[in-house]
Amino acid sequence: MRVLIVHRYFWPDSPPYGWMLRAIAGRWVNDGHDVTVLTSQPSYNPALRDQKQPRVAEVDGFEVRRVGLFPETKTNFVARVLNLGLFMLRVFAHVTLRRRRYDVVMCATTPPVMVAWAAGLAAKLRGSRLIYHCQDIHPELLNLAGLMGPGLGYRFLRGRDIRTMNRASRVVVLSNDMRDTVERRGINDLSKVRIINNFTVPTFSDNVPVEVPESVTDASRFRVVFAGNLGYFQGLEAVIDAAKRLGDRADIEFVFLGDGAAKQDLIERAGSLVGKTVHFFGFRPQREAEEFVRHADLALITLSTDIYKAAYPSKTMTYLSVGTPLLAVVESDSELARLVVERQIGFVGVPSDAQSIAEAVLQADATQDRDSMRERVSATCDELFSESSRLELWSSLLAEPPSVQPLQPVFVIGAGRSGTKFLRNTLAAASDVAAVPYDIGYVWRRGNETMEHDAFLPDMLSPSARRFIRSTLPKLAEADASSRVLLEKSVPNTLRVAYLRAVYPNAKFIHLIRDGRAVTESSIRLWQQPSETGYLLQKLRYFPWANYRYAIWYIRNIFSSTRIWGPRYPGIAADLQAESLATVCARQWRVCVEEAANALQQLPPDQSIEVRFEDLVSDESVFESLCEFCGIDDTQAVLKQYRLTVNPASLDKWQRNLTDAQRQDVIAEIGAAQATLGYASDK
């Protein structure tokens, strides 16, 4: 299996996740997969920014491809935005333009939302499975941290991220709390969500001795250490306030490792305590940071209120791996707090409550079983967060077959101007329906582009045309993992039901019938109007120019003196020379109705349903029945769309617009068919 892993920051940059990705990629290589990592030059770790890596390199049996971006720092917002856009484009181009398609594309949530959206869209276009690895859930995380309000930007990003999840074959989150947040989003299929938490950071270099300041190893002090990003998600302000409350305890120290947007504010907040009981050591390499934590009495994990719903701090595994008890400042009902309490591996404080945090520190200082607590910490790490156990889950994940349910093809057929567009657009309002938004003659005519009529027979379908149709329709309909029904409406299909069944043997058909007089009157007007430029341009966006023969045929018809509109029954060109336009339009309706009815009679009863347009626009319960027939669950969206767009007033327009001569021609042509269908046939 060919696998692409997309992440902006990869080993040796940005531990722990970049390092864990190396371990995951290496495991997949050992499992026999062909793995590529698409990343950028190191930029997260300041110490590595000037150490350029090869553009293409082999690591542990997989290929690493690094794209060039603009130099940036965490405070250079413009450069970061430019790099986000550039990285998105590079990811999209890499996935879509590679000669050999990737079977699986895995992308994480860094940078948030848009890179994964671009990767998901590219994967969809190439027919690749998407694994969406959610280290956190955006933009909910930004909203919970107070960095983004619930406005237009939030709704846009949330909509894109939900779409990415719906496109994904698997969505991987770190905790049950995050899974609950995904469930509240209402994604299409919750069964695709997997919980695989992070694991202890792998070692990819020799464990050379690491020196730390002697003050850090001073056993006479009770030391609380925080290692990680000093940002606004962590709620560290309350920890500084707790340190102030304990200011008279010179033997209790708070040590902060790392940099971040909130660092300067935290230093100013600590005031005179800096250098005494509060220390800021800046960024430290991974192994050095681990030594700081190893010699600490408590390893601090703190999150702002409700952040646990959208994130799980990966530093937890680092802390546990060196055997240091935890001080988890997080809500008591969170998965992390329950782990700490149930496993007796530390203490829990209340977010934003300095007094609660200070009391937890004092409780830890007074405990008598520190050695046994460290043993429980190590045992918990081995059991729940070891590299070997997590990599087993990643191996199993990649081996899982796709869980996407096959699309149910449903074809709306009916003579032109019977209301098929209204029917299609109304059903397409359902969230579980993927609908082709326009007629697609060039798709159905694949291999038969120059045929003078539309009445194709099954023996005219080549294997290549069948493959083309089945691969093209879902793309045009923008089907994703939320889609259950593939809906298509092209009026010429009324003449080739058996041909459609040869493409989709399990297809369902909705045969829409309308009073032939109304259809004929509307058709006459359409025959006489020029082609809709906007509609043609919309179709042009998706037209495959390799199919030039159809383009030539179509353009020739548009500019022909005998331009034909609508379904081409056999002999329609000759009829145009011998009959009135009213007669041709009426015959067009009759042939379409009769051909479709005859073909549908050969189908099992559960594969077709007949609907009258007059009933459709007067009784919304007809749409409820249609939803049940198609297997559409989102009936309420369909009914809402129906109430907004239904227009029964158009039923009798033909009585005002048809001339007496046209009426005579129409009734002469369709009178018998009208009577058979139960419509009036004498005027």
Side-chain angles (χ1 to χ4, degrees), residues 635-665:
T635 306
Q636 291 306 310
V638 172
L639 295 180
K640 180 179 179 181
Q641 176 70 14
Y642 170 83
R643 293 161 189 159
L644 289 172
T645 57
V646 67
N647 180 22
S650 62
L651 290 175
D652 60 353
K653 186 183 295 185
W654 66 271
Q655 295 179 344
R656 301 188 300 273
N657 294 346
L658 285 179
T659 66
D660 291 341
Q662 288 174 329
R663 290 192 188 203
Q664 290 178 4
D665 288 345

PDB file of all heavy atoms in Angstrom, residues 635-665:
ATOM      1  N   THR A 635     -34.672  13.500   5.851  1.00  0.00           N
ATOM      2  CA  THR A 635     -35.945  13.885   5.233  1.00  0.00           C
ATOM      3  C   THR A 635     -36.315  15.330   5.540  1.00  0.00           C
ATOM      4  O   THR A 635     -36.891  16.028   4.690  1.00  0.00           O
ATOM      5  CB  THR A 635     -37.067  12.944   5.720  1.00  0.00           C
ATOM      6  OG1 THR A 635     -36.676  11.589   5.468  1.00  0.00           O
ATOM      7  CG2 THR A 635     -38.372  13.231   4.996  1.00  0.00           C
ATOM      8  N   GLN A 636     -36.001  15.785   6.743  1.00  0.00           N
ATOM      9  CA  GLN A 636     -36.409  17.134   7.133  1.00  0.00           C
ATOM     10  C   GLN A 636     -35.766  18.201   6.255  1.00  0.00           C
ATOM     11  O   GLN A 636     -36.405  19.212   5.928  1.00  0.00           O
ATOM     12  CB  GLN A 636     -36.063  17.378   8.605  1.00  0.00           C
ATOM     13  CG  GLN A 636     -36.898  16.558   9.575  1.00  0.00           C
ATOM     14  CD  GLN A 636     -38.393  16.750   9.347  1.00  0.00           C
ATOM     15  OE1 GLN A 636     -38.892  17.887   9.259  1.00  0.00           O
ATOM     16  NE2 GLN A 636     -39.122  15.650   9.252  1.00  0.00           N
ATOM     17  N   ALA A 637     -34.521  17.989   5.857  1.00  0.00           N
ATOM     18  CA  ALA A 637     -33.869  18.955   4.958  1.00  0.00           C
ATOM     19  C   ALA A 637     -34.569  18.982   3.603  1.00  0.00           C
ATOM     20  O   ALA A 637     -34.700  20.038   2.977  1.00  0.00           O
ATOM     21  CB  ALA A 637     -32.400  18.599   4.794  1.00  0.00           C
ATOM     22  N   VAL A 638     -35.033  17.832   3.147  1.00  0.00           N
ATOM     23  CA  VAL A 638     -35.749  17.761   1.878  1.00  0.00           C
ATOM     24  C   VAL A 638     -37.057  18.526   1.969  1.00  0.00           C
ATOM     25  O   VAL A 638     -37.409  19.315   1.074  1.00  0.00           O
ATOM     26  CB  VAL A 638     -36.000  16.287   1.493  1.00  0.00           C
ATOM     27  CG1 VAL A 638     -36.915  16.199   0.272  1.00  0.00           C
ATOM     28  CG2 VAL A 638     -34.682  15.583   1.225  1.00  0.00           C
ATOM     29  N   LEU A 639     -37.806  18.311   3.053  1.00  0.00           N
ATOM     30  CA  LEU A 639     -39.088  18.993   3.212  1.00  0.00           C
ATOM     31  C   LEU A 639     -38.905  20.500   3.358  1.00  0.00           C
ATOM     32  O   LEU A 639     -39.717  21.292   2.846  1.00  0.00           O
ATOM     33  CB  LEU A 639     -39.827  18.429   4.422  1.00  0.00           C
ATOM     34  CG  LEU A 639     -40.243  16.953   4.318  1.00  0.00           C
ATOM     35  CD1 LEU A 639     -40.961  16.518   5.580  1.00  0.00           C
ATOM     36  CD2 LEU A 639     -41.121  16.715   3.096  1.00  0.00           C
ATOM     37  N   LYS A 640     -37.845  20.905   4.023  1.00  0.00           N
ATOM     38  CA  LYS A 640     -37.569  22.345   4.160  1.00  0.00           C
ATOM     39  C   LYS A 640     -37.320  22.965   2.792  1.00  0.00           C
ATOM     40  O   LYS A 640     -37.843  24.042   2.478  1.00  0.00           O
ATOM     41  CB  LYS A 640     -36.371  22.554   5.078  1.00  0.00           C
ATOM     42  CG  LYS A 640     -36.011  24.018   5.289  1.00  0.00           C
ATOM     43  CD  LYS A 640     -34.815  24.154   6.226  1.00  0.00           C
ATOM     44  CE  LYS A 640     -34.446  25.618   6.419  1.00  0.00           C
ATOM     45  NZ  LYS A 640     -33.257  25.771   7.322  1.00  0.00           N
ATOM     46  N   GLN A 641     -36.513  22.305   1.978  1.00  0.00           N
ATOM     47  CA  GLN A 641     -36.235  22.796   0.631  1.00  0.00           C
ATOM     48  C   GLN A 641     -37.508  22.827  -0.208  1.00  0.00           C
ATOM     49  O   GLN A 641     -37.754  23.771  -0.966  1.00  0.00           O
ATOM     50  CB  GLN A 641     -35.180  21.906  -0.030  1.00  0.00           C
ATOM     51  CG  GLN A 641     -34.867  22.245  -1.476  1.00  0.00           C
ATOM     52  CD  GLN A 641     -34.117  23.557  -1.622  1.00  0.00           C
ATOM     53  OE1 GLN A 641     -33.612  24.099  -0.643  1.00  0.00           O
ATOM     54  NE2 GLN A 641     -34.044  24.067  -2.841  1.00  0.00           N
ATOM     55  N   TYR A 642     -38.324  21.827  -0.069  1.00  0.00           N
ATOM     56  CA  TYR A 642     -39.592  21.755  -0.816  1.00  0.00           C
ATOM     57  C   TYR A 642     -40.484  22.955  -0.497  1.00  0.00           C
ATOM     58  O   TYR A 642     -41.015  23.618  -1.394  1.00  0.00           O
ATOM     59  CB  TYR A 642     -40.303  20.448  -0.454  1.00  0.00           C
ATOM     60  CG  TYR A 642     -41.722  20.348  -0.970  1.00  0.00           C
ATOM     61  CD1 TYR A 642     -41.991  19.945  -2.276  1.00  0.00           C
ATOM     62  CD2 TYR A 642     -42.808  20.643  -0.145  1.00  0.00           C
ATOM     63  CE1 TYR A 642     -43.288  19.848  -2.751  1.00  0.00           C
ATOM     64  CE2 TYR A 642     -44.111  20.546  -0.603  1.00  0.00           C
ATOM     65  CZ  TYR A 642     -44.345  20.147  -1.909  1.00  0.00           C
ATOM     66  OH  TYR A 642     -45.640  20.062  -2.373  1.00  0.00           O
ATOM     67  N   ARG A 643     -40.634  23.260   0.772  1.00  0.00           N
ATOM     68  CA  ARG A 643     -41.513  24.359   1.172  1.00  0.00           C
ATOM     69  C   ARG A 643     -40.999  25.702   0.676  1.00  0.00           C
ATOM     70  O   ARG A 643     -41.780  26.625   0.445  1.00  0.00           O
ATOM     71  CB  ARG A 643     -41.649  24.366   2.694  1.00  0.00           C
ATOM     72  CG  ARG A 643     -42.400  23.147   3.237  1.00  0.00           C
ATOM     73  CD  ARG A 643     -42.135  22.928   4.712  1.00  0.00           C
ATOM     74  NE  ARG A 643     -42.670  21.645   5.175  1.00  0.00           N
ATOM     75  CZ  ARG A 643     -42.260  21.019   6.270  1.00  0.00           C
ATOM     76  NH1 ARG A 643     -41.296  21.561   7.027  1.00  0.00           N
ATOM     77  NH2 ARG A 643     -42.793  19.862   6.615  1.00  0.00           N
ATOM     78  N   LEU A 644     -39.677  25.812   0.506  1.00  0.00           N
ATOM     79  CA  LEU A 644     -39.099  27.072   0.035  1.00  0.00           C
ATOM     80  C   LEU A 644     -39.254  27.270  -1.471  1.00  0.00           C
ATOM     81  O   LEU A 644     -39.297  28.408  -1.949  1.00  0.00           O
ATOM     82  CB  LEU A 644     -37.606  27.124   0.391  1.00  0.00           C
ATOM     83  CG  LEU A 644     -37.246  27.292   1.875  1.00  0.00           C
ATOM     84  CD1 LEU A 644     -35.744  27.129   2.074  1.00  0.00           C
ATOM     85  CD2 LEU A 644     -37.696  28.650   2.381  1.00  0.00           C
ATOM     86  N   THR A 645     -39.357  26.180  -2.234  1.00  0.00           N
ATOM     87  CA  THR A 645     -39.253  26.300  -3.691  1.00  0.00           C
ATOM     88  C   THR A 645     -40.479  25.843  -4.461  1.00  0.00           C
ATOM     89  O   THR A 645     -40.574  26.107  -5.668  1.00  0.00           O
ATOM     90  CB  THR A 645     -38.038  25.497  -4.198  1.00  0.00           C
ATOM     91  OG1 THR A 645     -38.174  24.126  -3.773  1.00  0.00           O
ATOM     92  CG2 THR A 645     -36.740  26.059  -3.643  1.00  0.00           C
ATOM     93  N   VAL A 646     -41.419  25.146  -3.827  1.00  0.00           N
ATOM     94  CA  VAL A 646     -42.567  24.620  -4.577  1.00  0.00           C
ATOM     95  C   VAL A 646     -43.409  25.762  -5.144  1.00  0.00           C
ATOM     96  O   VAL A 646     -43.600  26.803  -4.503  1.00  0.00           O
ATOM     97  CB  VAL A 646     -43.418  23.691  -3.682  1.00  0.00           C
ATOM     98  CG1 VAL A 646     -44.084  24.481  -2.555  1.00  0.00           C
ATOM     99  CG2 VAL A 646     -44.458  22.945  -4.508  1.00  0.00           C
ATOM    100  N   ASN A 647     -43.922  25.554  -6.368  1.00  0.00           N
ATOM    101  CA  ASN A 647     -44.713  26.594  -7.041  1.00  0.00           C
ATOM    102  C   ASN A 647     -45.833  25.950  -7.865  1.00  0.00           C
ATOM    103  O   ASN A 647     -45.700  25.740  -9.075  1.00  0.00           O
ATOM    104  CB  ASN A 647     -43.827  27.449  -7.941  1.00  0.00           C
ATOM    105  CG  ASN A 647     -44.609  28.549  -8.653  1.00  0.00           C
ATOM    106  OD1 ASN A 647     -45.689  28.945  -8.203  1.00  0.00           O
ATOM    107  ND2 ASN A 647     -44.079  29.021  -9.766  1.00  0.00           N
ATOM    108  N   PRO A 648     -46.968  25.629  -7.242  1.00  0.00           N
ATOM    109  CA  PRO A 648     -48.069  24.973  -7.959  1.00  0.00           C
ATOM    110  C   PRO A 648     -48.704  25.865  -9.024  1.00  0.00           C
ATOM    111  O   PRO A 648     -49.430  25.380  -9.890  1.00  0.00           O
ATOM    112  CB  PRO A 648     -49.082  24.662  -6.847  1.00  0.00           C
ATOM    113  CG  PRO A 648     -48.324  24.786  -5.565  1.00  0.00           C
ATOM    114  CD  PRO A 648     -47.264  25.808  -5.819  1.00  0.00           C
ATOM    115  N   ALA A 649     -48.416  27.158  -9.004  1.00  0.00           N
ATOM    116  CA  ALA A 649     -49.083  28.088  -9.918  1.00  0.00           C
ATOM    117  C   ALA A 649     -48.734  27.835 -11.380  1.00  0.00           C
ATOM    118  O   ALA A 649     -49.427  28.313 -12.278  1.00  0.00           O
ATOM    119  CB  ALA A 649     -48.718  29.522  -9.551  1.00  0.00           C
ATOM    120  N   SER A 650     -47.668  27.090 -11.632  1.00  0.00           N
ATOM    121  CA  SER A 650     -47.230  26.883 -13.018  1.00  0.00           C
ATOM    122  C   SER A 650     -47.984  25.757 -13.714  1.00  0.00           C
ATOM    123  O   SER A 650     -47.736  25.476 -14.886  1.00  0.00           O
ATOM    124  CB  SER A 650     -45.729  26.562 -13.031  1.00  0.00           C
ATOM    125  OG  SER A 650     -45.476  25.349 -12.324  1.00  0.00           O
ATOM    126  N   LEU A 651     -48.933  25.115 -13.033  1.00  0.00           N
ATOM    127  CA  LEU A 651     -49.574  23.929 -13.599  1.00  0.00           C
ATOM    128  C   LEU A 651     -50.401  24.230 -14.853  1.00  0.00           C
ATOM    129  O   LEU A 651     -50.487  23.407 -15.760  1.00  0.00           O
ATOM    130  CB  LEU A 651     -50.457  23.260 -12.538  1.00  0.00           C
ATOM    131  CG  LEU A 651     -49.713  22.583 -11.374  1.00  0.00           C
ATOM    132  CD1 LEU A 651     -50.714  22.070 -10.343  1.00  0.00           C
ATOM    133  CD2 LEU A 651     -48.845  21.444 -11.878  1.00  0.00           C
ATOM    134  N   ASP A 652     -51.049  25.370 -14.897  1.00  0.00           N
ATOM    135  CA  ASP A 652     -51.969  25.634 -16.012  1.00  0.00           C
ATOM    136  C   ASP A 652     -51.445  26.669 -17.003  1.00  0.00           C
ATOM    137  O   ASP A 652     -52.196  27.220 -17.792  1.00  0.00           O
ATOM    138  CB  ASP A 652     -53.327  26.097 -15.459  1.00  0.00           C
ATOM    139  CG  ASP A 652     -53.203  27.380 -14.640  1.00  0.00           C
ATOM    140  OD1 ASP A 652     -52.070  27.819 -14.397  1.00  0.00           O
ATOM    141  OD2 ASP A 652     -54.252  27.914 -14.240  1.00  0.00           O
ATOM    142  N   LYS A 653     -50.147  26.940 -16.992  1.00  0.00           N
ATOM    143  CA  LYS A 653     -49.588  27.940 -17.888  1.00  0.00           C
ATOM    144  C   LYS A 653     -49.830  27.574 -19.357  1.00  0.00           C
ATOM    145  O   LYS A 653     -50.013  28.441 -20.205  1.00  0.00           O
ATOM    146  CB  LYS A 653     -48.082  28.099 -17.608  1.00  0.00           C
ATOM    147  CG  LYS A 653     -47.439  29.232 -18.388  1.00  0.00           C
ATOM    148  CD  LYS A 653     -45.932  29.299 -18.126  1.00  0.00           C
ATOM    149  CE  LYS A 653     -45.657  29.650 -16.663  1.00  0.00           C
ATOM    150  NZ  LYS A 653     -44.197  29.822 -16.439  1.00  0.00           N
ATOM    151  N   TRP A 654     -49.859  26.276 -19.643  1.00  0.00           N
ATOM    152  CA  TRP A 654     -50.031  25.850 -21.034  1.00  0.00           C
ATOM    153  C   TRP A 654     -51.358  26.316 -21.624  1.00  0.00           C
ATOM    154  O   TRP A 654     -51.475  26.568 -22.827  1.00  0.00           O
ATOM    155  CB  TRP A 654     -49.934  24.319 -21.132  1.00  0.00           C
ATOM    156  CG  TRP A 654     -51.060  23.596 -20.432  1.00  0.00           C
ATOM    157  CD1 TRP A 654     -51.094  23.195 -19.142  1.00  0.00           C
ATOM    158  CD2 TRP A 654     -52.304  23.198 -21.007  1.00  0.00           C
ATOM    159  NE1 TRP A 654     -52.272  22.569 -18.841  1.00  0.00           N
ATOM    160  CE2 TRP A 654     -53.045  22.555 -19.987  1.00  0.00           C
ATOM    161  CE3 TRP A 654     -52.895  23.322 -22.278  1.00  0.00           C
ATOM    162  CZ2 TRP A 654     -54.318  22.032 -20.190  1.00  0.00           C
ATOM    163  CZ3 TRP A 654     -54.160  22.791 -22.486  1.00  0.00           C
ATOM    164  CH2 TRP A 654     -54.857  22.161 -21.462  1.00  0.00           C
ATOM    165  N   GLN A 655     -52.400  26.449 -20.776  1.00  0.00           N
ATOM    166  CA  GLN A 655     -53.722  26.845 -21.270  1.00  0.00           C
ATOM    167  C   GLN A 655     -53.707  28.264 -21.837  1.00  0.00           C
ATOM    168  O   GLN A 655     -54.467  28.574 -22.758  1.00  0.00           O
ATOM    169  CB  GLN A 655     -54.753  26.737 -20.142  1.00  0.00           C
ATOM    170  CG  GLN A 655     -54.978  25.311 -19.667  1.00  0.00           C
ATOM    171  CD  GLN A 655     -55.983  25.237 -18.529  1.00  0.00           C
ATOM    172  OE1 GLN A 655     -56.299  26.260 -17.890  1.00  0.00           O
ATOM    173  NE2 GLN A 655     -56.502  24.058 -18.259  1.00  0.00           N
ATOM    174  N   ARG A 656     -52.838  29.102 -21.301  1.00  0.00           N
ATOM    175  CA  ARG A 656     -52.758  30.487 -21.765  1.00  0.00           C
ATOM    176  C   ARG A 656     -51.821  30.646 -22.965  1.00  0.00           C
ATOM    177  O   ARG A 656     -52.001  31.542 -23.781  1.00  0.00           O
ATOM    178  CB  ARG A 656     -52.279  31.397 -20.626  1.00  0.00           C
ATOM    179  CG  ARG A 656     -53.169  31.381 -19.400  1.00  0.00           C
ATOM    180  CD  ARG A 656     -52.739  32.447 -18.399  1.00  0.00           C
ATOM    181  NE  ARG A 656     -51.359  32.253 -17.936  1.00  0.00           N
ATOM    182  CZ  ARG A 656     -51.024  31.488 -16.909  1.00  0.00           C
ATOM    183  NH1 ARG A 656     -51.971  30.827 -16.249  1.00  0.00           N
ATOM    184  NH2 ARG A 656     -49.753  31.372 -16.532  1.00  0.00           N
ATOM    185  N   ASN A 657     -50.811  29.773 -23.068  1.00  0.00           N
ATOM    186  CA  ASN A 657     -49.745  29.999 -24.030  1.00  0.00           C
ATOM    187  C   ASN A 657     -49.871  29.218 -25.336  1.00  0.00           C
ATOM    188  O   ASN A 657     -49.334  29.651 -26.363  1.00  0.00           O
ATOM    189  CB  ASN A 657     -48.394  29.670 -23.390  1.00  0.00           C
ATOM    190  CG  ASN A 657     -48.049  30.636 -22.266  1.00  0.00           C
ATOM    191  OD1 ASN A 657     -48.677  31.685 -22.130  1.00  0.00           O
ATOM    192  ND2 ASN A 657     -47.074  30.294 -21.457  1.00  0.00           N
ATOM    193  N   LEU A 658     -50.523  28.077 -25.331  1.00  0.00           N
ATOM    194  CA  LEU A 658     -50.659  27.301 -26.569  1.00  0.00           C
ATOM    195  C   LEU A 658     -51.707  27.932 -27.486  1.00  0.00           C
ATOM    196  O   LEU A 658     -52.822  28.243 -27.051  1.00  0.00           O
ATOM    197  CB  LEU A 658     -51.052  25.855 -26.256  1.00  0.00           C
ATOM    198  CG  LEU A 658     -49.972  24.930 -25.708  1.00  0.00           C
ATOM    199  CD1 LEU A 658     -50.557  23.546 -25.434  1.00  0.00           C
ATOM    200  CD2 LEU A 658     -48.786  24.835 -26.654  1.00  0.00           C
ATOM    201  N   THR A 659     -51.370  28.078 -28.754  1.00  0.00           N
ATOM    202  CA  THR A 659     -52.355  28.570 -29.729  1.00  0.00           C
ATOM    203  C   THR A 659     -53.317  27.431 -30.085  1.00  0.00           C
ATOM    204  O   THR A 659     -53.058  26.258 -29.789  1.00  0.00           O
ATOM    205  CB  THR A 659     -51.651  29.060 -30.997  1.00  0.00           C
ATOM    206  OG1 THR A 659     -51.034  27.938 -31.649  1.00  0.00           O
ATOM    207  CG2 THR A 659     -50.586  30.102 -30.667  1.00  0.00           C
ATOM    208  N   ASP A 660     -54.409  27.785 -30.736  1.00  0.00           N
ATOM    209  CA  ASP A 660     -55.381  26.746 -31.129  1.00  0.00           C
ATOM    210  C   ASP A 660     -54.736  25.727 -32.065  1.00  0.00           C
ATOM    211  O   ASP A 660     -54.972  24.513 -31.950  1.00  0.00           O
ATOM    212  CB  ASP A 660     -56.596  27.395 -31.806  1.00  0.00           C
ATOM    213  CG  ASP A 660     -57.448  28.202 -30.825  1.00  0.00           C
ATOM    214  OD1 ASP A 660     -57.301  27.963 -29.602  1.00  0.00           O
ATOM    215  OD2 ASP A 660     -58.221  29.067 -31.275  1.00  0.00           O
ATOM    216  N   ALA A 661     -53.910  26.221 -32.988  1.00  0.00           N
ATOM    217  CA  ALA A 661     -53.260  25.307 -33.931  1.00  0.00           C
ATOM    218  C   ALA A 661     -52.307  24.365 -33.205  1.00  0.00           C
ATOM    219  O   ALA A 661     -52.232  23.160 -33.504  1.00  0.00           O
ATOM    220  CB  ALA A 661     -52.508  26.101 -34.991  1.00  0.00           C
ATOM    221  N   GLN A 662     -51.585  24.920 -32.245  1.00  0.00           N
ATOM    222  CA  GLN A 662     -50.657  24.079 -31.488  1.00  0.00           C
ATOM    223  C   GLN A 662     -51.409  23.038 -30.662  1.00  0.00           C
ATOM    224  O   GLN A 662     -50.998  21.878 -30.581  1.00  0.00           O
ATOM    225  CB  GLN A 662     -49.787  24.954 -30.570  1.00  0.00           C
ATOM    226  CG  GLN A 662     -48.735  25.774 -31.311  1.00  0.00           C
ATOM    227  CD  GLN A 662     -48.004  26.738 -30.388  1.00  0.00           C
ATOM    228  OE1 GLN A 662     -48.567  27.230 -29.403  1.00  0.00           O
ATOM    229  NE2 GLN A 662     -46.753  27.051 -30.731  1.00  0.00           N
ATOM    230  N   ARG A 663     -52.556  23.436 -30.106  1.00  0.00           N
ATOM    231  CA  ARG A 663     -53.349  22.482 -29.319  1.00  0.00           C
ATOM    232  C   ARG A 663     -53.802  21.320 -30.186  1.00  0.00           C
ATOM    233  O   ARG A 663     -53.787  20.157 -29.760  1.00  0.00           O
ATOM    234  CB  ARG A 663     -54.558  23.178 -28.706  1.00  0.00           C
ATOM    235  CG  ARG A 663     -54.217  24.155 -27.604  1.00  0.00           C
ATOM    236  CD  ARG A 663     -55.462  24.579 -26.852  1.00  0.00           C
ATOM    237  NE  ARG A 663     -55.183  25.653 -25.915  1.00  0.00           N
ATOM    238  CZ  ARG A 663     -55.930  25.922 -24.853  1.00  0.00           C
ATOM    239  NH1 ARG A 663     -56.998  25.199 -24.604  1.00  0.00           N
ATOM    240  NH2 ARG A 663     -55.617  26.913 -24.055  1.00  0.00           N
ATOM    241  N   GLN A 664     -54.223  21.617 -31.370  1.00  0.00           N
ATOM    242  CA  GLN A 664     -54.684  20.560 -32.269  1.00  0.00           C
ATOM    243  C   GLN A 664     -53.548  19.590 -32.580  1.00  0.00           C
ATOM    244  O   GLN A 664     -53.734  18.367 -32.560  1.00  0.00           O
ATOM    245  CB  GLN A 664     -55.226  21.174 -33.561  1.00  0.00           C
ATOM    246  CG  GLN A 664     -56.543  21.931 -33.386  1.00  0.00           C
ATOM    247  CD  GLN A 664     -57.018  22.558 -34.689  1.00  0.00           C
ATOM    248  OE1 GLN A 664     -56.405  22.379 -35.742  1.00  0.00           O
ATOM    249  NE2 GLN A 664     -58.120  23.298 -34.608  1.00  0.00           N
ATOM    250  N   ASP A 665     -52.366  20.128 -32.875  1.00  0.00           N
ATOM    251  CA  ASP A 665     -51.219  19.266 -33.174  1.00  0.00           C
ATOM    252  C   ASP A 665     -50.840  18.415 -31.956  1.00  0.00           C
ATOM    253  O   ASP A 665     -50.518  17.225 -32.086  1.00  0.00           O
ATOM    254  CB  ASP A 665     -50.019  20.114 -33.594  1.00  0.00           C
ATOM    255  CG  ASP A 665     -50.189  20.717 -34.977  1.00  0.00           C
ATOM    256  OD1 ASP A 665     -51.090  20.261 -35.716  1.00  0.00           O
ATOM    257  OD2 ASP A 665     -49.418  21.647 -35.322  1.00  0.00           O
TER     258      ASP A 665
END
